[in-house]
């Protein structure tokens, strides 16, 4: 799954409106219009690996698509935290805007959504249970670790997809 697909699924799972998407991007330091947000929320053939009959298009030249680079995706997630929890005053010596990490998008998604929605580890495990997937506390801890930690585990697409599916089940009732 690419970043565009993650954004589409997160938006659906939490039923985020277009105007709120614009506001979240703005809070994350990215100024996009409603039309540009809709272009970011366009599904791409690269994100749908099961569909072999996709028509491959050079999206750099396409006007109805904006690729969500890692920096755009992380800025959205930072804005989502501010949108849900409010702006936090930086501590002395801490930068005003959080620096971008070098993490895999799926791991970043889990961490930032956990913070934004104030989820506990038990909440996250329950969300995966709603999607029919069993994740142990040890696995979750490894997914939430920093890159470079000896117990860090990269979050695969299956975990991310099922987490978003569980969120949709929980929040779209």
């Amino acid at each position: 799954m690419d970043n565009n697909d993650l954004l589409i699924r997160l938006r659906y799972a939490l039923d985020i409106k277009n105007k709120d998407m614009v506001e979240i991007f703005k809070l994350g330091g990215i100024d996009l219009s409603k039309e540009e947000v809709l272009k970011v929320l366009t599904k791409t053939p690269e994100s749908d690996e099961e569909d072999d009959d996709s028509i491959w298009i050079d999206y750099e030249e396409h006007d109805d698509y904006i690729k969500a680079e890692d920096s755009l995706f992380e800025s959205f997630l930072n804005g989502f935290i501010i949108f849900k929890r409010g702006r936090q005053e930086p501590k002395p010596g801490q930068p005003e805007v959080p620096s971008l990490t070098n993490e895999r998008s799926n791991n970043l998604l889990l961490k930032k959504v956990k913070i934004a929605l104030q989820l506990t580890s038990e909440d996250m495990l329950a969300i995966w249970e709603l999607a029919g997937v069993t994740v142990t506390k040890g696995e979750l801890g490894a997914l939430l670790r920093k890159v470079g930690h000896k117990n860090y585990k990269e979050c695969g697409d299956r975990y991310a997809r099922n987490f978003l599916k569980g969120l949709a089940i929980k929040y779209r009732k």
Side-chain angles (χ1 to χ4, degrees):
M1 289 192 313
D2 64 6
N3 294 338
N4 293 72
D5 196 27
L6 290 172
L7 284 171
I8 292 166
R9 290 171 187 253
L10 181 62
R11 177 180 183 255
Y12 172 79
L14 300 175
D15 198 21
I16 303 172
K17 306 293 182 237
N18 289 339
K19 69 179 182 68
D20 291 337
M21 292 291 288
V22 171
E23 177 67 18
I24 291 168
F25 273 113
K26 190 172 291 193
L27 289 170
I30 306 287
D31 205 13
L32 294 177
S33 68
K34 183 178 173 184
E35 292 75 26
E36 290 170 322
V37 168
L38 293 174
K39 290 178 183 182
V40 170
L41 296 173
T42 300
K43 192 163 176 64
T44 64
E46 292 104 27
S47 66
D48 191 9
E49 295 152 6
E50 295 86 22
D51 187 7
D52 292 334
D53 298 329
S54 298
I55 299 170
W56 297 97
I57 300 170
D58 183 8
Y59 287 99
E60 305 298 320
E61 299 173 3
H62 231 254
D63 288 343
D64 61 345
Y65 172 78
I66 297 175
K67 182 168 177 45
E69 301 293 338
D70 290 342
S71 59
L72 181 85
F73 182 68
E74 188 167 355
S75 294
F76 173 82
L77 292 173
N78 289 337
F80 185 58
I81 292 171
I82 295 168
F83 183 75
K84 287 299 211 180
R85 298 188 63 169
R87 191 170 297 277
Q88 184 179 18
E89 291 299 319
K91 296 177 178 124
Q94 188 180 28
E96 181 115 356
V97 178
S99 58
L100 300 179
T101 63
N102 207 10
E103 267 188 80
R104 176 138 158 75
S105 296
N106 293 346
N107 292 75
L108 197 61
L109 172 82
L110 295 179
K111 289 179 186 180
K112 302 276 182 168
V113 169
K114 180 181 194 273
I115 293 167
L117 299 178
Q118 301 179 26
L119 300 173
T120 63
S121 294
E122 288 76 23
D123 292 337
M124 293 182 76
L125 297 174
I127 287 168
W128 267 302
E129 285 290 326
L130 288 172
V133 175
T134 303
V135 177
T136 66
K137 281 188 176 186
E139 287 174 315
L140 177 58
L143 295 172
L144 297 175
R145 299 247 184 238
K146 274 189 172 181
V147 176
H149 187 279
K150 67 177 187 160
N151 293 331
Y152 170 81
K153 180 180 177 187
E154 198 170 282
C155 181
D157 287 344
R158 181 177 152 262
Y159 279 131
R161 188 178 300 114
N162 283 304
F163 181 74
L164 292 169
K165 179 180 174 184
L167 276 178
I169 293 168
K170 180 175 180 166
Y171 288 97
R172 290 188 67 97
K173 287 183 181 178

